[in-house]
Amino acid sequence: MAKKSEKVTVDEKNLSSLLSVDAIKSIFELMNQNEIGELDLEHGDVRIKIVGKNQQPAAAPATVLLPQAGSLSLTSSALSSVAPADSSATEAKTSASEAKSAPNVRLIRAPMVGTFYGRPSPDVSAFVAPGDEVTPETVVCLIEAMKLFNEIKAETTGKIVKVLVKDGTPVEFHQPLFEIED
Amino acid sequence: MAKKSEKVTVDEKNLSSLLSVDAIKSIFELMNQNEIGELDLEHGDVRIKIVGKNQQPAAAPATVLLPQAGSLSLTSSALSSVAPADSSATEAKTSASEAKSAPNVRLIRAPMVGTFYGRPSPDVSAFVAPGDEVTPETVVCLIEAMKLFNEIKAETTGKIVKVLVKDGTPVEFHQPLFEIED
Amino acid sequence: MIRKVLIANRGEVALRIIRACKEQGIRTVAVYSEADEDSVPVKFADEHVCIGPAPASQSYLNIQQIISAAEITDSDAIHPGYGFLAENAGFAELCAKCNIKFIGPDANAIRHMGDKATAKQTMRAAGVPCIPGSDGVCETLADAATVADECGYPVIVKASAGGGGKGMRLAQDRAELESAYNMARMEAQKAFGDGSVYVEKYVLNPKHVEVQIIADQFGNVVALGERDCSLQRRHQKLLEESPCVVLDEETRQKMYAAAIKAAKAVNYTSVGTVEFLYSSQTKEFYFMEMNTRIQVEHPVTEEVTGIDLMSEMLHVASGLALPFRQEDIKQSGHAIECRINAEDPERGFCPSPGKITTYYMPGGIGVRVDSHCYQGYVIPPYYDSMIAKLIIHAPTRKECVRRALRALDEFYIEGIATTLPFYRNVLMSKPFLRGTFGTGFLEEFLVD
Amino acid sequence: MIRKVLIANRGEVALRIIRACKEQGIRTVAVYSEADEDSVPVKFADEHVCIGPAPASQSYLNIQQIISAAEITDSDAIHPGYGFLAENAGFAELCAKCNIKFIGPDANAIRHMGDKATAKQTMRAAGVPCIPGSDGVCETLADAATVADECGYPVIVKASAGGGGKGMRLAQDRAELESAYNMARMEAQKAFGDGSVYVEKYVLNPKHVEVQIIADQFGNVVALGERDCSLQRRHQKLLEESPCVVLDEETRQKMYAAAIKAAKAVNYTSVGTVEFLYSSQTKEFYFMEMNTRIQVEHPVTEEVTGIDLMSEMLHVASGLALPFRQEDIKQSGHAIECRINAEDPERGFCPSPGKITTYYMPGGIGVRVDSHCYQGYVIPPYYDSMIAKLIIHAPTRKECVRRALRALDEFYIEGIATTLPFYRNVLMSKPFLRGTFGTGFLEEFLVD
């Protein structure tokens, strides 16, 4: 729901063919097979530079610069900047920090549209707080939809790192609610 | 003039085709086969640089600069394939062979729109034929425009290689009429 | 007055609704599946809510998610568009319960018209002409013969439980009726485990003609002209036009009156379409069904009447009275709509989703394009294949066809296969140019 | 009947002509400069001929090349569009000599209206209201005072040889006239080496209202409604609409009659526009000039009258009689045209040629776009900066403005600066919404 005012554009569509691990893996293999020492690719905000291990000029290890947020799209930037708004921005941010910090940070996402409540009633404490260990059966929040309060379970085991949504906030389908780590 | 029937589509390599693993694979193979040590490709905001494994940093790199030629346009192939028709096709072909065969093959082009005549009247021989030497003042043909016959001069010195237009054919502005070489 | 509309749909109709709302200062909420994140309606709506994954059953048909989205965005109305939940009486009812205005007729009218047998009975009772035939099952051959004599040959014997052409047999006269009756019973028994059949008059290669109506909450019902939708492939409309050239003025007025009668019989409000079969031979028309929603082809009517149907639909939903009466409706010129689908006419109209690499829209006088596409858009494989509606308006049918051909020639969609070349062919065919073709024309044309 | 038309123009008007020809089965030849090789008209015409390098003087204004192109393509008519050779009497004459039909009025009418002094004399003689003032030079202050008394204050004293606002002085009454007269004479002498001045009634912040006429070769002249083109920047029209809201019906009819009189006075054929200054205060209007060609803003008239002007222009050129009479002309609704230019409104409307990286056109009901642009098109720096015309039609002016705003919001052009944001601002301003603004409005608006 996301008013249209502020938008963060994260378009991952177009250069994706190159910016996937598989693609880069293939390039690595091809570089090795073909004795290529270095690859340096740049497009707009994207630049990929790959230097072979025993390569003289660059002593640095294989560097992969991931795309910045910003339109990588080759299509209309106006229209490809369409979707991501509040929630997606959050999502993008978290995925980014996820990627940066630790690969074992995961997300608990909203399984439905509705209003998020972190506590069973206003005067008691939250279901979970950062640092809490949860199991798949742990209720982490309520989502109110059509006057019904639905208990949302963690569906996974781990430790709550961060609560991403404030009490009483409307959430979209699949919107990240919690960061969790092993 | 060029009726719309047959068209030569100057089909453009989409940027994405360059930015695919397959494309890079081909480049690697080509580099390997051709013992190219380094590739540095740049067009618009795209740049690909590839350095061979055993390539010396300081050694003069074999740089392959791909033609600019506007051929990496992201635009609609339908609309960018607009213009070339009969005459332009000829032109494209000749410029290509020009580039390939010898740099000293040049073109005498139509300075105006009209009807081409290679001879002063139907029953005499042509102004020039392949093999003839011309000077800037040599009349090479007539172009009839608005009932007037305009003598077209070679404007250059050289030997006629080929007559590109048939007698009585309408010609556009700048349409190639003769191939000429030093 | 409606302040904020949630659009429970996608694609071009979602965009159509957004446009109408914007022009009236009504705020809009687009709901979308994960597959439609990059879609134009999501961009152009004031707000947007993701309601589920790509499959429609989990998003655009997911009633709970949609109602929740309306609640969290504080929308006071839901527009269902066409398809998906547009003719779901339960959804309309639930909206009412949740105090959200369902932009369409009330649940009773939807339910009434949704059940074809009930609809037909109501129409008969209201004096709307229906296809003559048995009121129910013909238990014996004698019963069938009596009915056939009443409505006149040729007749068709149909399985009550039928569908898909099974248990359906044509009889040109009394002699053929016996075998037709027996064969149909046998087939019906085999196919559906139920041998009951009924008999109906058979209309050969009829015209599909429909009347657009609009009704307000004060009992005013106005007919906004007819549409000829006979160009169909497997019961899918591909091209619609208005007016229908084979109707004479008397029949046309009768048809409008019947459509208004049909709407009044179910206390209809909002826009709706009453579909008729029309026989050019006998000049008779028969009620088929009523679509209780805005239709894909509504722009054809907008072009010839000058009335913005989507806008009036919103007005009526807001409780306003219709600003015009039947005598105010003037039709001018001719309009044709071509539904451009992402389908390959060379390969049996096989769907062709994928990325649109070139998108160049026609323009100029008399050309309207309703489409959610753009260059670079990826058509998802989950939904309807319609990607654009090309709507042409001109003073006469002849000029309209020429303009349509001009516009089709200008329309470039690359990266996927579309039905554009198909329309170029059809519009130049003689039966189309004559305009007298029936619903059977296209199947023959495609075979040739 | 015309069989093949050579289009001696480029850009959107070339495309407009091609569209009209295609719809009538007339073949087309696009001529183009080397800068326009990749342009849409070149693609959509049946044939095309390169006529020279980019500069217009060597291509689109190169008469010999254009006539030659018509000859080698065996074209039997030339359509000049607007601008370039459209009002070049010599070119029209040469076409006639070469046995090529010039699609426009004959050379005499062009020449007659091209000379502003002659035009004004003819109009006065024909009884068309012109701005009151001295018939020629006012040799003395006494002469000037007599003229001023006759036409009423305020008056303006203007240098006969003048232009660009020099040697121009306003006088509110007799007292001010003396200094105005003397100052104007002095300035005129200094600026142009010629001190002669004349006196004219001064119309404060007038409306620019023009009447579209069409005339056939049988003496039939029909007025197709008026256009209000008061939204101007430095005498360049930026937005046109029809009807003009400040005209009462009586004045409107008088203006039509005057326009028809003007056309008849020069035995006009083809489409043409008679421009008037209109004073909202006095309800008087005055002949300014007649444009002897199709105009940029003709679609506004097409939308409200339902008449395809370009098509009728071709018919009349083919020698056909007009298919309608004055009493057949019905105007319905309101239309607005916004000229979208490749100019940066943030930087004093500085031209902004270059590559269009995103081109997304608005669509839907009541929206027409006439444009030769596409995504990837490179706007050459050599010609006019107009890249698209957005034409909106709706039942009322209020709805038309709302629809225009909706369409402007949908219009995406990236890679170059355009006047799109400018229109979004203007259309929401109070003076525009009231509709009473005069030709001075925009300059004030832009200062604010």
Side-chain angles (χ1 to χ4, degrees):
Chain A
M1 103 251 88
K3 309 273 187 301
K4 269 297 161 51
S5 42
E6 336 140 42
K7 286 214 163 171
V8 176
T9 303
V10 181
D11 194 287
E12 318 156 70
K13 292 276 138 66
N14 269 297
L15 279 187
S16 56
S17 60
L18 251 186
L19 293 173
S20 72
V21 178
D22 278 354
I24 288 169
K25 184 185 168 193
S26 310
I27 295 169
F28 283 168
E29 287 167 357
L30 287 164
M31 283 180 77
N32 207 32
Q33 282 163 28
N34 293 290
E35 300 195 343
I36 301 298
E38 183 175 333
L39 170 69
D40 186 342
L41 190 151
E42 193 167 11
H43 175 259
D45 301 337
V46 186
R47 177 174 170 239
I48 300 179
K49 184 184 178 187
I50 303 172
V51 183
K53 233 182 178 177
N54 304 323
Q55 190 57 20
Q56 296 215 355
T63 313
V64 179
L65 291 175
L66 282 185
Q68 323 282 304
S71 177
L72 306 181
S73 163
L74 304 182
T75 74
S76 123
S77 65
L79 287 160
S80 54
S81 69
V82 158
D86 300 3
S87 64
S88 324
T90 319
E91 187 173 347
K93 221 189 302 161
T94 25
S95 354
S97 67
E98 220 181 327
K100 252 185 279 168
S101 58
N104 57 344
V105 170
R106 285 161 291 121
L107 295 170
I108 299 175
R109 290 171 184 271
M112 63 180 71
V113 176
T115 306
F116 173 92
Y117 292 101
R119 56 197 74 208
S121 68
D123 46 356
V124 299
S125 59
F127 289 108
V128 292
D132 288 1
E133 296 283 348
V134 297
T135 64
E137 287 303 307
T138 311
V139 172
V140 290
C141 66
L142 300 176
I143 291 184
E144 181 195 2
M146 302 184 68
K147 318 290 174 210
L148 283 177
F149 289 88
N150 303 279
E151 291 189 338
I152 308 302
K153 291 176 179 166
E155 309 277 3
T156 182
T157 302
K159 194 169 75 182
I160 297 292
V161 176
K162 203 172 176 186
V163 185
L164 299 167
V165 181
K166 278 187 195 152
D167 244 36
T169 313
V171 291
E172 292 184 280
F173 172 77
H174 231 213
Q175 183 170 333
L177 305 176
F178 300 93
E179 270 182 38
I180 190 166
E181 65 178 17
D182 295 338
Chain B
M1 208 184 61
K3 308 275 186 306
K4 269 296 159 56
S5 42
E6 335 141 44
K7 286 218 161 166
V8 176
T9 304
V10 180
D11 208 359
E12 306 168 337
K13 294 266 157 51
N14 200 305
L15 199 49
S16 56
S17 67
L18 236 179
L19 293 173
S20 74
V21 177
D22 279 352
I24 287 173
K25 180 183 173 186
S26 311
I27 294 170
F28 285 172
E29 285 166 356
L30 283 166
M31 285 178 76
N32 211 28
Q33 283 160 27
N34 296 291
E35 300 192 345
I36 302 296
E38 180 175 335
L39 171 69
D40 190 341
L41 191 151
E42 193 165 7
H43 185 275
D45 41 2
V46 182
R47 176 176 169 238
I48 300 178
K49 183 186 177 188
I50 304 174
V51 183
K53 244 184 177 174
N54 303 324
Q55 187 62 17
Q56 291 287 348
T63 308
V64 182
L65 286 176
L66 287 190
Q68 308 286 306
S71 61
L72 295 179
S73 161
L74 303 181
T75 75
S76 118
S77 66
L79 287 159
S80 52
S81 71
V82 157
D86 300 0
S87 63
S88 324
T90 318
E91 187 170 350
K93 222 190 301 163
T94 23
S95 356
S97 66
E98 222 181 327
K100 251 186 278 169
S101 56
N104 57 345
V105 171
R106 285 161 291 121
L107 295 169
I108 300 176
R109 290 168 184 272
M112 63 179 70
V113 176
T115 306
F116 173 92
Y117 293 100
R119 55 198 75 207
S121 67
D123 47 355
V124 300
S125 61
F127 289 109
V128 292
D132 288 1
E133 296 282 349
V134 299
T135 64
E137 287 303 307
T138 311
V139 173
V140 290
C141 64
L142 300 176
I143 291 183
E144 181 195 2
M146 302 182 70
K147 318 289 175 213
L148 285 176
F149 289 88
N150 303 280
E151 291 188 339
I152 307 303
K153 291 176 180 165
E155 310 276 4
T156 182
T157 303
K159 193 170 74 183
I160 298 290
V161 175
K162 201 172 177 186
V163 186
L164 300 168
V165 181
K166 278 186 195 149
D167 243 36
T169 314
V171 292
E172 293 184 279
F173 172 77
H174 231 213
Q175 184 170 332
L177 305 176
F178 300 93
E179 269 181 40
I180 190 167
E181 65 177 17
D182 295 339
Chain C
M1 291 297 295
I2 292 169
R3 293 172 303 103
K4 193 193 271 191
V5 169
L6 180 140
I7 297 144
N9 215 306
R10 64 178 299 284
E12 76 84 21
V13 74
L15 185 57
R16 176 72 190 91
I17 297 164
I18 290 170
R19 283 170 171 163
C21 288
K22 274 197 172 178
E23 292 180 13
Q24 291 186 36
I26 298 172
R27 287 185 64 80
T28 50
V29 179
V31 297
Y32 64 99
S33 78
E34 290 182 318
D36 282 335
E37 197 175 327
D38 288 341
S39 71
V40 167
V42 173
K43 173 165 182 68
F44 285 162
D46 295 306
E47 300 171 40
H48 46 83
V49 182
C50 181
I51 51 164
S57 59
Q58 294 171 63
S59 49
Y60 299 108
L61 290 170
N62 189 331
I63 292 179
Q64 188 193 311
Q65 296 293 79
I66 290 167
I67 300 273
S68 295
E71 285 178 340
I72 64 170
T73 54
D74 198 21
S75 302
D76 52 359
I78 292 183
H79 198 309
Y82 50 72
F84 296 132
L85 300 169
E87 289 176 291
N88 183 318
F91 179 62
E93 230 157 39
L94 189 58
C95 285
K97 249 184 227 159
C98 295
N99 214 14
I100 298 166
K101 172 73 200 165
F102 175 83
I103 301 178
D106 68 26
N108 283 336
I110 298 175
R111 195 164 279 133
H112 210 114
M113 287 300 185
D115 180 57
K116 302 310 163 194
T118 313
K120 215 163 165 182
Q121 275 171 19
T122 312
M123 290 306 109
R124 273 213 181 108
V128 175
C130 297
I131 298 225
S134 54
D135 269 332
V137 173
C138 290
E139 299 287 359
T140 65
L141 173 62
D143 285 355
T146 311
V147 172
D149 285 342
E150 273 167 28
C151 55
Y153 289 90
V155 295
I156 192 155
V157 187
K158 286 180 174 175
S160 297
K166 274 177 190 155
M168 209 180 269
R169 273 285 183 280
L170 188 66
Q172 295 288 355
D173 51 36
R174 179 64 182 80
E176 285 185 19
L177 184 65
E178 184 165 349
S179 79
Y181 181 80
N182 292 330
M183 293 289 283
R185 282 192 77 99
M186 268 172 56
E187 276 182 22
Q189 185 63 45
K190 251 192 193 162
F192 315 109
D194 175 3
S196 45
V197 295
Y198 62 99
V199 171
E200 250 183 22
K201 186 171 181 58
Y202 179 70
V203 185
L204 179 71
N205 196 19
K207 277 274 186 194
H208 171 125
V209 185
E210 59 187 31
V211 177
Q212 174 71 54
I213 63 103
I214 183 164
D216 65 18
Q217 294 170 22
F218 308 96
N220 303 305
V221 185
V222 175
L224 297 171
E226 81 281 8
R227 294 185 290 257
D228 180 344
C229 312
S230 306
L231 203 90
Q232 302 182 355
R233 183 182 167 270
R234 301 190 181 169
H235 303 289
Q236 293 294 310
K237 298 170 186 170
L238 294 182
L239 179 149
E240 302 93 351
E241 55 184 314
S242 183
C244 171
V245 289
V246 300
L247 283 194
D248 61 38
E249 200 48 37
E250 195 193 331
T251 312
R252 176 175 285 121
Q253 293 305 329
K254 273 191 204 162
M255 204 182 264
Y256 293 177
I260 291 172
K261 221 182 271 181
K264 288 194 168 169
V266 294
N267 294 315
Y268 200 84
T269 56
S270 189
V271 299
T273 302
V274 185
E275 295 187 331
F276 297 99
L277 280 187
Y278 172 75
S279 162
S280 300
Q281 284 80 40
T282 63
K283 296 198 174 183
E284 301 281 348
F285 60 86
Y286 308 105
F287 172 83
M288 268 193 297
E289 60 174 319
M290 180 168 186
N291 294 321
T292 56
R293 51 169 163 87
I294 191 82
Q295 277 185 289
V296 173
E297 60 268 32
H298 76 274
V300 159
T301 299
E302 293 182 325
E303 294 303 312
V304 292
T305 62
I307 290 169
D308 184 330
L309 270 173
M310 193 59 90
S311 190
E312 295 304 335
M313 189 180 182
L314 291 165
H315 286 149
V316 166
S318 273
L320 300 178
L322 287 177
F324 43 73
R325 294 180 174 276
Q326 191 63 50
E327 57 269 28
D328 301 324
I329 307 306
K330 303 265 175 290
Q331 296 180 45
S332 92
H334 196 92
I336 290 178
E337 172 184 282
C338 298
R339 302 187 185 190
I340 314 301
N341 292 344
E343 294 172 0
D344 191 346
E346 297 278 301
R347 292 179 193 172
F349 292 81
C350 168
S352 171
K355 184 168 182 169
I356 296 179
T357 53
T358 303
Y359 189 72
Y360 179 81
M361 250 164 70
I365 191 167
V367 174
R368 165 177 171 187
V369 179
D370 277 36
S371 170
H372 58 294
C373 293
Y374 57 89
Q375 193 158 315
Y377 176 59
V378 179
I379 298 156
Y382 309 103
Y383 317 107
D384 192 273
S385 64
M386 194 178 73
I387 54 172
K389 303 191 305 199
L390 174 62
I391 304 120
I392 305 293
H393 188 211
T396 63
R397 186 173 192 267
K398 190 179 164 191
E399 289 164 287
C400 195
V401 172
R402 286 181 161 194
R403 181 163 290 164
L405 284 165
R406 184 275 283 177
L408 286 164
D409 274 350
E410 286 181 16
F411 212 150
Y412 277 83
I413 302 177
E414 292 180 337
I416 54 164
T418 73
T419 48
L420 281 168
F422 159 78
Y423 286 105
R424 293 184 192 117
N425 291 334
V426 169
L427 264 66
M428 284 193 289
S429 71
K430 275 187 186 158
F432 182 80
L433 292 172
R434 273 197 300 271
T436 51
F437 60 92
T439 54
F441 158 59
L442 197 56
E443 299 295 344
E444 280 171 45
F445 177 82
L446 290 172
V447 169
D448 292 347
Chain D
M1 293 294 297
I2 292 169
R3 292 171 303 102
K4 193 194 269 192
V5 169
L6 180 141
I7 298 144
N9 215 304
R10 63 178 300 283
E12 77 84 21
V13 74
L15 185 57
R16 175 72 189 90
I17 297 163
I18 290 170
R19 284 170 170 162
C21 288
K22 275 198 171 181
E23 292 180 14
Q24 290 186 37
I26 297 172
R27 288 185 65 81
T28 51
V29 179
V31 297
Y32 63 100
S33 77
E34 290 182 319
D36 282 334
E37 198 176 325
D38 287 342
S39 71
V40 167
V42 173
K43 173 166 182 65
F44 284 163
D46 296 304
E47 299 170 42
H48 46 81
V49 182
C50 181
I51 52 164
S57 59
Q58 293 171 63
S59 48
Y60 299 108
L61 290 170
N62 189 331
I63 293 178
Q64 189 194 310
Q65 297 292 79
I66 290 167
I67 300 273
S68 295
E71 285 179 340
I72 65 169
T73 54
D74 198 20
S75 302
D76 52 358
I78 292 183
H79 198 308
Y82 50 72
F84 295 131
L85 300 169
E87 289 175 292
N88 184 318
F91 178 63
E93 230 155 39
L94 189 59
C95 285
K97 250 184 228 161
C98 295
N99 214 15
I100 298 167
K101 173 73 200 166
F102 175 83
I103 301 178
D106 68 26
N108 283 336
I110 298 175
R111 195 165 278 133
H112 210 116
M113 288 298 187
D115 180 57
K116 302 309 163 196
T118 313
K120 214 163 167 180
Q121 274 171 21
T122 312
M123 291 306 108
R124 272 214 181 105
V128 175
C130 297
I131 299 225
S134 54
D135 268 332
V137 172
C138 289
E139 299 288 358
T140 65
L141 173 61
D143 285 355
T146 311
V147 172
D149 284 343
E150 273 168 28
C151 56
Y153 289 92
V155 295
I156 192 154
V157 187
K158 287 179 174 176
S160 296
K166 272 175 191 156
M168 207 182 268
R169 274 285 183 281
L170 188 66
Q172 294 289 352
D173 50 37
R174 179 63 182 83
E176 286 186 18
L177 184 65
E178 184 165 349
S179 78
Y181 181 80
N182 292 330
M183 294 290 283
R185 283 192 75 98
M186 270 172 55
E187 276 182 19
Q189 184 63 46
K190 252 193 194 162
F192 314 108
D194 175 1
S196 47
V197 295
Y198 63 98
V199 171
E200 249 184 24
K201 185 168 182 61
Y202 178 70
V203 185
L204 178 71
N205 196 20
K207 277 275 185 194
H208 171 125
V209 185
E210 59 187 30
V211 177
Q212 174 71 56
I213 63 102
I214 183 165
D216 64 20
Q217 294 169 23
F218 308 96
N220 302 306
V221 186
V222 174
L224 296 172
E226 81 280 7
R227 295 184 290 257
D228 180 344
C229 311
S230 306
L231 202 89
Q232 301 182 354
R233 181 180 168 272
R234 302 191 180 166
H235 302 289
Q236 292 295 309
K237 297 168 187 170
L238 294 182
L239 179 149
E240 302 93 350
E241 56 184 312
S242 184
C244 169
V245 290
V246 300
L247 282 194
D248 60 38
E249 199 47 36
E250 195 191 332
T251 312
R252 177 174 286 122
Q253 293 306 328
K254 273 191 204 163
M255 203 182 264
Y256 294 176
I260 291 172
K261 221 182 271 180
K264 288 194 168 170
V266 294
N267 294 317
Y268 200 83
T269 56
S270 189
V271 299
T273 302
V274 186
E275 296 188 332
F276 298 100
L277 280 186
Y278 172 76
S279 162
S280 300
Q281 284 80 43
T282 64
K283 296 198 174 180
E284 301 281 348
F285 61 87
Y286 309 105
F287 172 83
M288 269 194 297
E289 60 174 318
M290 180 167 185
N291 294 320
T292 57
R293 52 170 163 85
I294 191 80
Q295 278 187 289
V296 173
E297 60 269 33
H298 76 274
V300 159
T301 300
E302 293 182 323
E303 293 303 312
V304 293
T305 62
I307 290 169
D308 184 330
L309 271 173
M310 193 58 89
S311 191
E312 295 303 336
M313 188 181 184
L314 291 166
H315 285 150
V316 167
S318 272
L320 300 178
L322 286 177
F324 43 71
R325 294 178 172 278
Q326 191 63 50
E327 56 269 28
D328 301 323
I329 306 307
K330 303 266 175 291
Q331 296 180 45
S332 92
H334 196 92
I336 289 177
E337 172 184 280
C338 299
R339 301 187 185 191
I340 313 301
N341 291 344
E343 294 172 359
D344 191 346
E346 297 278 301
R347 292 177 193 171
F349 292 80
C350 169
S352 171
K355 184 167 182 170
I356 296 179
T357 55
T358 303
Y359 189 70
Y360 179 81
M361 251 164 71
I365 192 167
V367 174
R368 165 177 171 186
V369 179
D370 277 35
S371 170
H372 58 294
C373 292
Y374 56 90
Q375 191 158 317
Y377 177 59
V378 178
I379 299 156
Y382 309 103
Y383 317 106
D384 191 274
S385 65
M386 194 177 73
I387 54 171
K389 303 190 306 200
L390 175 63
I391 304 120
I392 306 294
H393 188 212
T396 64
R397 186 174 193 268
K398 189 179 166 192
E399 289 164 287
C400 195
V401 172
R402 286 182 160 191
R403 183 164 288 166
L405 284 166
R406 183 274 284 176
L408 285 164
D409 275 349
E410 286 181 16
F411 212 149
Y412 278 84
I413 302 178
E414 293 179 337
I416 54 166
T418 74
T419 48
L420 281 168
F422 159 77
Y423 287 105
R424 292 185 192 116
N425 291 333
V426 168
L427 263 66
M428 285 193 289
S429 72
K430 274 189 186 157
F432 181 81
L433 292 173
R434 272 197 300 271
T436 52
F437 60 92
T439 53
F441 158 60
L442 197 57
E443 300 295 343
E444 282 171 43
F445 177 82
L446 290 172
V447 169
D448 293 346

